[in-house]
Amino acid sequence: MPDLITLPWPLSLSAAVFVLAGAVTVAGSVRLAGLGDALADRTGWGEALFGVVFFGVVTGLSGIIMTVVAAGSGQASLGYSNAVGGIAAQTTAVAVADAFHRRANLEHAAASLSNLLSGCLLIALLALALLASYIPETSIAGVNPMSAVLVATYIGGLVLIRRAGAQPMWQAIATAETRPDVPHHENALSQRSPVWLWTDFAVVGLLVAAGGWLVALAAESVVETTGLTAGFVGAVLMGVVNALPETVTAIAAVRRGAVTLAIAAVLGGNILDVLTLVAGDIAYQHGSIYHAAGDQELLATTTSLLMTATLLGGLLIRQTCGWGRLGFEGVLLLASYAAMTVILAL
């Protein structure tokens, strides 16, 4: 029997770990969707802000662990590409979730000020991460100063989103297909105590995160045993597993009628994935993780920027029904991700 601690693992074992981690993630994410919907109502935060903050943290834990494990073992490219590749895969999840919302385009139904501002924050964070790769490499206590800038931008962005929600100067026009963020009292979980809900939410989140550690080890083995590039394995293979929590959560939220939460869960996970680079930068002991990014990693970062801008365009235009029942943005998201995957594979 192969040693589960010593790398690399046999390819068959690595593949089995990917499948097992994916199954655990799917089961846990369906549970998180119901718990998150109930907690958004009980806390008064609303689906959008709750999704960006708490869903982003919980569903992003697996991605953080993947990047930290990879960067800590010297695989900076693998850790970086996992973070930005996960963003591209998770943004594609919006188009997948849209297919489960039959009444109208998901971006039409879920347009909200908080989601729009969250998309703007994500673009700012991705741009800063990209900028860090081009400025001279420096470090303070072994950490690139841009990591501190990313954290400060994240905190400042959340403050602005919270304040804008309290006194909105802009709001989406309500239509017959708009699904407002209102409490769902028929949710059986809403009858549970807040302590029970938070405990269950944390336990399931940790279970999903544990899968991230195994996926990171499996990915390192795949790179070593197959000859595939770290950019492809990180951005595509790890990125897909990294995106599973947000994808399944978005689909489950749509089926529950919590469409605002569906978009917020994706944006929240993406925002935390950018901050995953900060954790990776701290774990990487051979320099700056931003400067370890090669052409493939920068391609994935730029694609994520493009896809986020496309999603924001869909939230602003609010097409009721579009191309293939997905809206123009859904088709463009799928095309962008497919193009990135093909280029990385070549």
mmCIF file of all heavy atoms in Angstrom, residues 10-11 32 50 59 79-80 109 131 144 176 190 199 226 238 264-265 274-275 282 297 302 319 335:
data_model
loop_
_atom_site.group_PDB
_atom_site.id
_atom_site.type_symbol
_atom_site.label_atom_id
_atom_site.label_comp_id
_atom_site.label_asym_id
_atom_site.label_seq_id
_atom_site.Cartn_x
_atom_site.Cartn_y
_atom_site.Cartn_z
ATOM 1 N N PRO A 10 1.059 7.446 -6.593
ATOM 2 C CA PRO A 10 0.733 6.885 -7.918
ATOM 3 C C PRO A 10 -0.414 7.672 -8.545
ATOM 4 O O PRO A 10 -1.260 8.225 -7.834
ATOM 5 C CB PRO A 10 0.316 5.445 -7.595
ATOM 6 C CG PRO A 10 0.925 5.149 -6.269
ATOM 7 C CD PRO A 10 0.951 6.444 -5.521
ATOM 8 N N LEU A 11 -0.430 7.724 -9.868
ATOM 9 C CA LEU A 11 -1.451 8.508 -10.565
ATOM 10 C C LEU A 11 -2.855 8.030 -10.217
ATOM 11 O O LEU A 11 -3.777 8.844 -10.082
ATOM 12 C CB LEU A 11 -1.236 8.419 -12.084
ATOM 13 C CG LEU A 11 -2.176 9.257 -12.950
ATOM 14 C CD1 LEU A 11 -2.075 10.730 -12.589
ATOM 15 C CD2 LEU A 11 -1.869 9.039 -14.434
ATOM 16 N N LEU A 32 -24.195 23.697 2.997
ATOM 17 C CA LEU A 32 -23.847 25.084 3.279
ATOM 18 C C LEU A 32 -24.856 26.057 2.686
ATOM 19 O O LEU A 32 -25.110 27.120 3.260
ATOM 20 C CB LEU A 32 -22.454 25.391 2.723
ATOM 21 C CG LEU A 32 -21.254 24.844 3.492
ATOM 22 C CD1 LEU A 32 -19.973 25.142 2.743
ATOM 23 C CD2 LEU A 32 -21.198 25.429 4.895
ATOM 24 N N PHE A 50 -23.667 38.501 3.311
ATOM 25 C CA PHE A 50 -23.336 37.268 4.005
ATOM 26 C C PHE A 50 -22.578 36.328 3.066
ATOM 27 O O PHE A 50 -21.603 35.683 3.457
ATOM 28 C CB PHE A 50 -24.602 36.571 4.511
ATOM 29 C CG PHE A 50 -24.328 35.357 5.364
ATOM 30 C CD1 PHE A 50 -24.213 35.479 6.743
ATOM 31 C CD2 PHE A 50 -24.172 34.106 4.796
ATOM 32 C CE1 PHE A 50 -23.943 34.374 7.533
ATOM 33 C CE2 PHE A 50 -23.910 32.986 5.574
ATOM 34 C CZ PHE A 50 -23.794 33.125 6.946
ATOM 35 N N THR A 59 -16.138 28.611 1.929
ATOM 36 C CA THR A 59 -15.897 27.891 0.682
ATOM 37 C C THR A 59 -14.482 28.123 0.169
ATOM 38 O O THR A 59 -13.964 27.321 -0.622
ATOM 39 C CB THR A 59 -16.902 28.318 -0.407
ATOM 40 O OG1 THR A 59 -16.800 29.730 -0.632
ATOM 41 C CG2 THR A 59 -18.328 27.988 0.013
ATOM 42 N N GLY A 79 0.617 26.875 -6.576
ATOM 43 C CA GLY A 79 -0.233 27.582 -5.625
ATOM 44 C C GLY A 79 -0.884 28.806 -6.233
ATOM 45 O O GLY A 79 -2.076 29.064 -6.033
ATOM 46 N N TYR A 80 -0.105 29.586 -7.005
ATOM 47 C CA TYR A 80 -0.639 30.791 -7.639
ATOM 48 C C TYR A 80 -1.723 30.440 -8.648
ATOM 49 O O TYR A 80 -2.811 31.041 -8.657
ATOM 50 C CB TYR A 80 0.500 31.554 -8.326
ATOM 51 C CG TYR A 80 0.119 32.918 -8.845
ATOM 52 C CD1 TYR A 80 0.525 34.075 -8.182
ATOM 53 C CD2 TYR A 80 -0.641 33.066 -10.005
ATOM 54 C CE1 TYR A 80 0.174 35.335 -8.654
ATOM 55 C CE2 TYR A 80 -0.995 34.312 -10.488
ATOM 56 C CZ TYR A 80 -0.574 35.440 -9.810
ATOM 57 O OH TYR A 80 -0.924 36.687 -10.281
ATOM 58 N N ALA A 109 -32.275 38.432 -12.347
ATOM 59 C CA ALA A 109 -33.029 38.214 -11.109
ATOM 60 C C ALA A 109 -32.237 38.579 -9.865
ATOM 61 O O ALA A 109 -32.819 38.924 -8.834
ATOM 62 C CB ALA A 109 -33.471 36.748 -11.029
ATOM 63 N N LEU A 131 -0.468 43.569 -10.846
ATOM 64 C CA LEU A 131 0.521 44.646 -10.756
ATOM 65 C C LEU A 131 1.736 44.200 -9.950
ATOM 66 O O LEU A 131 2.881 44.554 -10.273
ATOM 67 C CB LEU A 131 -0.122 45.873 -10.111
ATOM 68 C CG LEU A 131 0.765 47.108 -9.911
ATOM 69 C CD1 LEU A 131 1.228 47.646 -11.266
ATOM 70 C CD2 LEU A 131 0.006 48.186 -9.140
ATOM 71 N N ASN A 144 5.883 40.037 0.538
ATOM 72 C CA ASN A 144 5.795 41.146 -0.394
ATOM 73 C C ASN A 144 4.827 42.201 0.138
ATOM 74 O O ASN A 144 3.737 41.866 0.600
ATOM 75 C CB ASN A 144 5.307 40.627 -1.759
ATOM 76 C CG ASN A 144 5.439 41.673 -2.854
ATOM 77 O OD1 ASN A 144 4.767 42.695 -2.841
ATOM 78 N ND2 ASN A 144 6.305 41.405 -3.814
ATOM 79 N N ALA A 176 -40.842 41.846 -12.902
ATOM 80 C CA ALA A 176 -41.606 40.650 -12.556
ATOM 81 C C ALA A 176 -40.697 39.454 -12.304
ATOM 82 O O ALA A 176 -41.077 38.507 -11.612
ATOM 83 C CB ALA A 176 -42.594 40.321 -13.681
ATOM 84 N N SER A 190 -34.423 27.561 9.501
ATOM 85 C CA SER A 190 -34.659 28.840 10.176
ATOM 86 C C SER A 190 -35.218 28.654 11.581
ATOM 87 O O SER A 190 -35.188 29.576 12.402
ATOM 88 C CB SER A 190 -35.617 29.702 9.343
ATOM 89 O OG SER A 190 -35.052 30.009 8.091
ATOM 90 N N THR A 199 -22.613 26.406 14.422
ATOM 91 C CA THR A 199 -21.786 25.215 14.661
ATOM 92 C C THR A 199 -21.805 24.293 13.453
ATOM 93 O O THR A 199 -20.757 23.817 12.993
ATOM 94 C CB THR A 199 -22.293 24.453 15.899
ATOM 95 O OG1 THR A 199 -22.248 25.319 17.041
ATOM 96 C CG2 THR A 199 -21.430 23.220 16.167
ATOM 97 N N THR A 226 3.254 13.063 -14.202
ATOM 98 C CA THR A 226 2.713 13.117 -15.568
ATOM 99 C C THR A 226 3.475 14.056 -16.494
ATOM 100 O O THR A 226 3.373 13.935 -17.712
ATOM 101 C CB THR A 226 1.243 13.565 -15.560
ATOM 102 O OG1 THR A 226 1.164 14.919 -15.076
ATOM 103 C CG2 THR A 226 0.403 12.648 -14.679
ATOM 104 N N MET A 238 -6.830 21.679 -10.278
ATOM 105 C CA MET A 238 -7.076 22.176 -8.920
ATOM 106 C C MET A 238 -8.149 23.259 -8.927
ATOM 107 O O MET A 238 -8.952 23.363 -8.001
ATOM 108 C CB MET A 238 -5.784 22.726 -8.311
ATOM 109 C CG MET A 238 -4.755 21.667 -7.953
ATOM 110 S SD MET A 238 -3.227 22.393 -7.330
ATOM 111 C CE MET A 238 -3.750 22.970 -5.708
ATOM 112 N N ALA A 264 -23.581 36.015 -4.899
ATOM 113 C CA ALA A 264 -22.706 36.472 -3.822
ATOM 114 C C ALA A 264 -21.728 35.390 -3.394
ATOM 115 O O ALA A 264 -20.576 35.679 -3.039
ATOM 116 C CB ALA A 264 -23.546 36.921 -2.620
ATOM 117 N N ALA A 265 -22.162 34.128 -3.390
ATOM 118 C CA ALA A 265 -21.280 33.029 -3.003
ATOM 119 C C ALA A 265 -20.105 32.918 -3.972
ATOM 120 O O ALA A 265 -18.958 32.684 -3.565
ATOM 121 C CB ALA A 265 -22.061 31.718 -2.962
ATOM 122 N N VAL A 274 -8.335 35.577 -4.209
ATOM 123 C CA VAL A 274 -7.251 36.537 -4.420
ATOM 124 C C VAL A 274 -6.436 36.675 -3.133
ATOM 125 O O VAL A 274 -5.194 36.697 -3.154
ATOM 126 C CB VAL A 274 -7.787 37.912 -4.856
ATOM 127 C CG1 VAL A 274 -6.617 38.862 -5.133
ATOM 128 C CG2 VAL A 274 -8.645 37.796 -6.108
ATOM 129 N N LEU A 275 -7.133 36.726 -1.987
ATOM 130 C CA LEU A 275 -6.421 36.819 -0.712
ATOM 131 C C LEU A 275 -5.654 35.543 -0.398
ATOM 132 O O LEU A 275 -4.736 35.549 0.432
ATOM 133 C CB LEU A 275 -7.413 37.119 0.418
ATOM 134 C CG LEU A 275 -8.090 38.488 0.370
ATOM 135 C CD1 LEU A 275 -8.941 38.696 1.611
ATOM 136 C CD2 LEU A 275 -7.058 39.600 0.260
ATOM 137 N N ILE A 282 3.091 34.234 2.124
ATOM 138 C CA ILE A 282 3.680 34.020 3.447
ATOM 139 C C ILE A 282 4.303 32.629 3.542
ATOM 140 O O ILE A 282 5.383 32.445 4.119
ATOM 141 C CB ILE A 282 2.604 34.196 4.542
ATOM 142 C CG1 ILE A 282 2.107 35.654 4.558
ATOM 143 C CG2 ILE A 282 3.142 33.808 5.920
ATOM 144 C CD1 ILE A 282 0.917 35.885 5.468
ATOM 145 N N GLU A 297 0.303 31.468 -15.483
ATOM 146 C CA GLU A 297 -0.386 32.022 -14.319
ATOM 147 C C GLU A 297 -0.943 33.420 -14.612
ATOM 148 O O GLU A 297 -2.061 33.766 -14.195
ATOM 149 C CB GLU A 297 0.569 32.084 -13.113
ATOM 150 C CG GLU A 297 0.954 30.729 -12.531
ATOM 151 C CD GLU A 297 1.932 29.966 -13.405
ATOM 152 O OE1 GLU A 297 2.825 30.626 -13.993
ATOM 153 O OE2 GLU A 297 1.803 28.727 -13.521
ATOM 154 N N THR A 302 -5.410 37.235 -16.008
ATOM 155 C CA THR A 302 -6.035 38.151 -16.961
ATOM 156 C C THR A 302 -7.404 37.630 -17.401
ATOM 157 O O THR A 302 -8.356 38.402 -17.556
ATOM 158 C CB THR A 302 -5.130 38.352 -18.179
ATOM 159 O OG1 THR A 302 -3.820 38.726 -17.742
ATOM 160 C CG2 THR A 302 -5.676 39.439 -19.081
ATOM 161 N N GLN A 319 -30.172 41.317 -18.906
ATOM 162 C CA GLN A 319 -30.917 40.704 -20.009
ATOM 163 C C GLN A 319 -31.902 39.686 -19.440
ATOM 164 O O GLN A 319 -31.522 38.798 -18.682
ATOM 165 C CB GLN A 319 -29.917 40.020 -20.948
ATOM 166 C CG GLN A 319 -30.416 39.763 -22.329
ATOM 167 C CD GLN A 319 -29.290 39.244 -23.216
ATOM 168 O OE1 GLN A 319 -28.266 38.769 -22.734
ATOM 169 N NE2 GLN A 319 -29.477 39.341 -24.519
ATOM 170 N N ALA A 335 -17.250 30.526 -22.959
ATOM 171 C CA ALA A 335 -16.273 30.604 -24.044
ATOM 172 C C ALA A 335 -14.900 31.038 -23.530
ATOM 173 O O ALA A 335 -13.861 30.499 -23.954
ATOM 174 C CB ALA A 335 -16.770 31.582 -25.114
#
